[in-house]
Amino acid sequence: MSQEADISSGKISIEKPAQRLSLGRIDSAWALVLPIIIVVVLLYIVPLLYVFQLSISDPKWGLDNYERLVTMRGQVRVMLTTFRISAISATLAVILGFLVALAMTWVRGVHQQVLVICVMIPLWISVLVRGFSWLVLLRDNGPLNDWLMAVGLITEPLAFVRNELGVVIGMVHYLLPFAILPMYSVMQGIDERLLFASRSLGASARTTFAKVYIPMALPGIMAATIIVFVFGLGFYVTPVLLGGGRVVMLAESVSVSILTTARWGLGAAQSMALLAVTLCLVGILSKTVGLKKGLG
Amino acid sequence: MKAHENFRRDCADILRSELASGKISRRQFLRSTAMLGVAVSAGGLTGKARAEGASEVVISNYGGDADAAYMEALGNPFTADTGIDVVTEPGGPLIGVVRKMVDERNVTWDIVDASDYYSIRLDDEYLMPIDYSVVDADALYDWNRYDRIAGSYTFSNVLTYDSSKFDEAPTGWKDFFDLEKFPGKRAMYKWFDGMPEAFMLAAGKSPDEVYPIDMDLVAEMIDSLGDNLVLWDSGGMSQQLFLDEEVVMGSLWNTRARLLNRDTDDRVKWIWNEQIISPGGWGVMQGAPNPEGAMKFIAASQDPERQIMLLDLLGNGPANPAAEALLTDEQRAINPVSHLDVGLVHDAKWYAESFDDELYNWLDVTGS
């Protein structure tokens, strides 16, 4: 495994020729990233600290808001719903996305361009439009149910939308490009000669795929998984539209606290909890399956 | 987001689509959006008008149409009568926002478009007592006359049903939960306002036993509906659910039920029995730049003729009891306030004290 990774590393990752930064000396390269550091600190870190302060100070100082997160009916459930739906959607998006990425690396010329365009186009369409489109297509009296009933496959309309299934369908659709692109960029760099080598050494096609190809594609798969899972945790519009009002994910719950009940402290605590849990998960994943290779 | 805010936006939506389909004239549209206090961004007027201080009234509401429309409708007549300009700001005067503005001592609004329970949630520190020497206390009911809130208009949640789906019409909320007699999906309001009472009435409680709401019972009854419950979060969605025949029954705003009835040629009907009435009202910000002008504006909006026009266009019930005697039978048929005897006016006290907590519980028990 390590040998394979080494062989392929020349292609898939950019190794720095030498460490430029040494202790005790500030490299001039830092001047180049200074603007972005300032932007990140001002626009991200400072507001984040303010959100944290809000979570322990509104309506009074203390950990009351965090206590409410675990004791209040609904808060734990919202968290679990959010993680469950994100995990299911991320898994499906990565599986389907892997197949598309595989096809994209296999085909050549105009076929490849068509595939790339097909993957990119949905990215340019508003999430609202996509949500409503699914709703129109999949609702009880929508074309799909009408067709299924017309050909006699079903007698009662199937509930595709206005439930958790609808949310998963909408989210997988939205997340697919974000799963495909990282995997594609890694898989594109896999040296085909290694596969030929594997076959010539007597491995079957199946073994070659499982033991040679998949391990080399793994960094891309892991990167895709983490990106779409973390992305999915913050979904708002899709669950609202396709969940029939009954699938409340964390983003919407935060919005209730901020806008409707004006409990900003609670909303802030929810956000901080999401951040903490997300960082933990990313940490665990990176320790166990070598995230660095995927994102590095 | 908040029930009341949504209802206001919804009124503007109704007006716009009525205007587009030629069912009302432009002038009617303008006058009625003005009545609603819906509408209309302050636009370029703000700076100039601001500088003139006490010669204007600023109303905070939930946004909507163009400011010019608002000025033409109510601003200009009011200005002609009193010399006071009217400016609106789509600031979304939720309770938290009102508090914040007063706490920061940066009050730029005079009037807020609010609900009855604001009077209880916000004390004199945040809302001025209504000056009942200017505003006519007799032009209000006892359920929309509060120390710090004076009724603006009235809407209700009514049991709405698709008559083509049943041989027998439902008669009350008990039937709403009877899946055997009335099979099919039902729709309720996602943001809970106007819903809990229906559960209590359906469970057989008498109107005076409805409060405090028993949330465990609500949870049980939600479970009994299972997948047959759909939640709507905008008036337009509630209407669409019936038009697409996705639901057979629902708790809808009376304004939307009426449009559905008309647009489906009486296929979708509603009943007044056990309607849940929500009184909307005006409040005046503590520290408002022009409190006298604000009180005058509220008094001017009590005119029964204008309130009846709003009823004709939208179905919003007049806040002024004097309007009742002026109504025709057709108008009474769409006016929630004409059917008070069979309905229930929501308890402002419960909404002030318990609604926010129970909203989280509601989102929990309705969640999948």
Side-chain angles (χ1 to χ4, degrees), chain B residues 13 57 62 68 105 128 138 144 154 188-189 193 207 209 287 364:
Chain B
D13 284 350
V57 171
Y62 294 91
R105 300 184 189 289
M128 294 182 70
D138 294 331
N144 63 7
T154 311
M188 292 189 113
Y189 186 38
D193 206 323
E209 296 171 337
D364 178 35

Side-chain angles (χ1 to χ4, degrees), chain B residues 56-75:
Chain B
E56 64 162 6
V57 171
V58 181
I59 301 173
S60 171
N61 54 33
Y62 294 91
D65 224 81
D67 189 57
Y70 188 65
M71 298 310 289
E72 186 183 334
L74 192 68

Side-chain angles (χ1 to χ4, degrees), chain A residues 54 58 65 68-69 72 75 78 236 248 250-271, chain B residues 1 94 96 191 356 359-360 363:
Chain A
L54 203 58
D58 178 84
N65 287 318
R68 258 175 230 132
L69 281 189
M72 231 167 95
Q75 294 302 329
V78 165
Y236 180 95
V248 177
L250 199 79
E252 192 183 7
S253 185
V254 170
S255 121
V256 169
S257 296
I258 301 292
L259 294 172
T260 308
T261 58
R263 293 182 184 177
W264 293 13
L266 181 63
Q270 286 174 302
S271 313
Chain B
M1 332 282 139
L94 297 174
W191 301 111
D356 282 1
L359 175 62
Y360 287 102
L363 290 175

Side-chain angles (χ1 to χ4, degrees), chain A residues 88-101 176 179 183 221 225:
Chain A
I88 294 171
S89 307
T91 308
L92 290 174
V94 169
I95 291 172
L96 295 172
F98 180 80
L99 300 176
V100 177
L176 260 177
M183 287 193 283
I221 296 172
T225 307

